[in-house]
Structures are given as C-alpha cells and as structure tokens.
Amino acid sequence: EFTANLVRDLGDAIRPHIQELWDAHGAKVKEAEPTGSGTTPPSPPPPPTATAGVPEPPKPKTALDFAKEASYVARGLKLGADVGALLRQGAEMAVNDPIQWVKSVGTGLSKTDKAKLAKHYQMLEERSINGNKMSDVRKAAGLKISSADAEEPFASKLFDKVPVLNKLENFQKAFLDSGRIERFDSFYRKFPDATEKELKQYAAYLNSAMGKSNVSRVPELLEVVMTAPRWTSSRWEMAGRLMASPVTVTKALRGNKAAMQEAKNLGRYAMAMYGALKVAESQGATVEFDPRSSDFLKMRVGEKVFDPTSGVAAPIRTSLRMMLFARGEGSFNANAATELGKVVTNTSHPVNTT
C-alpha cells in the first residue's frame, strides 16, 4: 500500500513537469510553422523589460537539466531518502560530539516543516557571539551549509512535492546544518582569539568530516555520472587528514588551535573505528586489515559487509595499494590503472551499475 501511494504521489508530482515540457514543445512547433507562401515570418516579440516587483519568467530547461532530474530520481529510489545521513555525514559527529549529535537529531525532527526550518535558519543567521554576527564569521571562514550550498542531491527535486520525502529532506538539512554550525560556533566561543587562518582551518575540517567537502563547485555533469561527487571528495579529504595526522599533531604542539581540535577529533575517530572492528571481530565477524583485500577495514558477517568508517576505508585502501605498487608489488602501471578504474566504478551513478 505504501509503495502504491508513493508511486501515485510521484505521478502527481511529475505530471505538471511533463505537461510543462509538452506545452513548451508545442509552442516551439507553432513558432516554426510557415505563415503562408511568399510572406515574411513575423518578427519575434521584443524582449520583456524588467518591471519592479514582477518576477522574470523561469528559464527554459535544457537537456542537462532533465538528465540531472532523472538521475536524482534514480539516485533517490536506489539510495533511499537520506535517512542514512545520521551515520553517513553524521558519523564523525556521533563519535566526537555525541551530545551535539543527539541535539541535531532533535533539531531535525522538529524542523521537518518548511516554515519551521526557515525560521530556524533565520535564528542561526541572526546569532551573535562576542559582538560578531556569526553568519558573517562562518561565511568568511568558508563553512558550507545547506541553505547557501545545497546538500548532495540524493533525492530528486520532484520529491519535494511528496509530503513524506519532503519532510525527510528537511530533516537532513536541519540535522546536518545544526551539527556544522553549532560545532563551529562552539569552537568560536571556546577560542575567541582564534585567528582567521585557524577559523578557516577548522571550517575546512568540518566540511570534510560532515560530508560537504571543500570543493568550491561540482560540475553539473559529475552530478549525473557520479553517485555523490561531494561525498566522495569529502571521504578522500578525511582519508588524507587521517594519514597526515602526524603533521596536524605537530601544528597543535606549536599552538595552532584548529590543529589541536582536529588532532583530538581524528584521534577519537580513528580509535572508534578500530574499536568497532575489534569488537566485531571478537563477536565472530570477519575483519580484514590487509589493504590488498576488498574488505579492508570492513566487517563481514556471512554475505553482509559493514563499513564502520563511513566511507573513509576505500580511499585509504586505494592510497595504500598505490604505495605497495610503487614499491614493486606487480606492474605499477597495470595495477594503478585497475585500481583507478575501481574508484571510477565504485563512485559511478546507481543507474550506471544497475
């Protein structure tokens, strides 16, 4: 019954868009019709002038727009309606700030209504700490949030018109943005004398840790051919941070406040991942620590495989394999090409692997 209702709701949501496309196509055909033998086609109407208070008509959709929309629908149907954000983008927060994780879940549950979500964003926008407007501080530091930079489109924009899925989308935005903003603001309160460089460094860490990535702009084509380009980029960033943690510790010892916080977070995160793997192993699960295995840093119980690293294991495995190849384990060129091919395949859009 749920599936039938969902299909019906999706049909109701999609129908106006199909009608809009059909009407636009009909209008183009009508404009192309000849006006009669020997007559000059009518000149196009003059461009509309901007009028105060009158919104401009929407731009016509391109083939790429429709391809992106179709890819979002397929992605949403295959990957689910963003409930996984709790232990996907939210995994690092659950380890390093479990109280804020619980608060963010509560915020997400209470802000599923669009009006309440907008009011929540307004409150965060107007917050001041030590006389400084935090929205300006966050923007200057480069903290990425959903209201200014949309989340990874796991679900289609059409899903916004389906009540249940619309609420799930709002839950994700409120949950993730609450976590990012509150943790950044907490750092700002804790270190009121933090430099601009340190604020940018900590914002960059939160962008990586909570799945937003520090990529300034994702090409539209990548949103069609890849499952989640921002998420994938953030996993590589986190893998790099973990492998470069000795450098971060060195900076922390020299007094860098952002490095201090990042080093603590990375240490707890690494210990939590290792602890989860060892507990699973003690309970009979098969755990693999050899980077040459496809189950590296994963738990296998029968046919089911679980990744406690929230996606960080794959880029670490790839990096370690490339190091092994460089040291002479087999043909570097052939193995490297195969490994990079796996990276492309594993990050390919669900439609490409169905």
Side-chain angles (χ1 to χ4, degrees):
E1 182 181 351
F2 174 80
T3 303
N5 291 336
L6 178 60
V7 171
R8 187 185 65 248
D9 289 341
L10 283 173
D12 292 341
I14 293 172
R15 192 176 296 110
H17 294 266
I18 296 176
Q19 185 64 48
E20 177 187 345
L21 179 62
W22 180 259
D23 291 344
H25 175 71
K28 288 180 179 179
V29 171
K30 190 172 182 179
E31 289 174 7
E33 289 178 352
T35 56
S37 177
T39 62
T40 304
S43 58
T49 56
T51 306
V54 179
E56 293 185 5
K59 295 180 180 179
K61 292 186 177 181
T62 65
L64 180 58
D65 292 330
F66 285 105
K68 285 167 58 180
E69 190 61 31
S71 74
Y72 298 164
V73 171
R75 179 183 291 127
L77 291 174
K78 183 158 185 175
L79 299 183
D82 299 313
V83 178
L86 289 170
L87 292 175
R88 187 174 57 230
Q89 293 101 315
E92 183 273 345
M93 178 169 61
V95 170
N96 286 308
D97 198 343
I99 294 176
Q100 182 56 54
W101 187 88
V102 172
K103 288 181 179 179
S104 295
V105 171
T107 300
L109 291 173
S110 63
K111 303 296 183 291
T112 56
D113 179 75
K114 201 167 186 178
K116 290 182 178 179
L117 181 62
K119 190 173 181 181
H120 177 66
Y121 276 126
Q122 183 179 357
M123 180 272 292
L124 294 173
E125 189 80 9
E126 296 172 353
R127 176 184 289 170
S128 291
I129 299 176
N130 300 329
N132 296 313
K133 189 176 180 182
M134 288 309 298
S135 59
D136 294 338
V137 177
R138 297 179 206 121
K139 185 176 180 180
L143 184 70
K144 296 182 183 294
I145 58 175
S146 302
S147 59
D149 189 11
E151 289 298 329
E152 197 83 71
F154 276 94
S156 165
K157 293 177 183 177
L158 296 179
F159 287 5
D160 270 349
K161 306 185 189 316
V162 182
V164 175
L165 297 180
N166 171 272
K167 290 183 180 298
L168 287 171
E169 186 76 10
N170 291 338
F171 166 82
Q172 175 191 251
K173 290 177 181 177
F175 167 72
L176 292 174
D177 279 348
S178 172
R180 293 173 184 132
I181 290 173
E182 295 298 349
R183 294 178 72 191
F184 180 84
D185 290 3
S186 176
F187 177 82
Y188 190 77
R189 288 191 191 94
K190 185 177 179 180
F191 301 108
D193 58 339
T195 65
E196 182 181 346
K197 183 179 179 180
E198 289 170 334
L199 292 173
K200 287 182 176 181
Q201 186 177 336
Y202 191 61
Y205 168 77
L206 290 176
N207 292 339
S208 300
M210 297 193 65
K212 198 69 170 170
S213 172
N214 288 288
V215 174
S216 58
R217 180 179 176 275
V218 175
E220 291 183 332
L221 187 59
L222 281 184
E223 293 182 2
V224 177
V225 300
M226 290 181 70
T227 301
R230 281 191 184 279
W231 168 250
T232 300
S233 176
S234 76
R235 298 305 84 191
W236 279 92
E237 290 171 12
M238 279 300 284
R241 290 177 183 280
L242 284 165
M243 290 188 285
S245 55
V247 177
T248 305
V249 171
T250 302
K251 291 180 180 179
L253 293 174
R254 292 175 180 171
N256 184 302
K257 300 175 184 65
M260 290 180 194
Q261 193 64 51
E262 181 177 340
K264 289 179 184 177
N265 289 352
L266 290 174
R268 284 191 291 252
Y269 190 45
M271 288 302 296
M273 290 189 293
Y274 180 75
L277 290 166
K278 295 304 288 183
V279 168
E281 188 176 39
S282 70
Q283 297 301 311
T286 302
V287 176
E288 187 59 72
F289 293 98
D290 186 344
R292 289 168 293 192
S293 169
S294 59
D295 286 346
F296 176 64
L297 296 184
K298 294 180 182 178
M299 316 167 182
R300 179 176 288 276
V301 181
E303 296 299 318
K304 295 186 179 295
V305 178
F306 303 92
D307 179 6
T309 71
S310 65
V312 177
I316 292 178
R317 181 188 66 216
T318 298
S319 301
L320 291 176
R321 284 181 177 180
M322 297 294 274
M323 292 178 190
L324 290 173
F325 299 153
R327 287 177 57 186
E329 287 203 11
S331 167
F332 178 81
N333 291 338
N335 286 326
T338 301
E339 193 63 29
L340 293 176
K342 290 177 182 176
V343 172
V344 173
T345 302
N346 292 339
T347 58
S348 180
H349 190 279
V351 172
N352 301 334
T353 56
T354 300

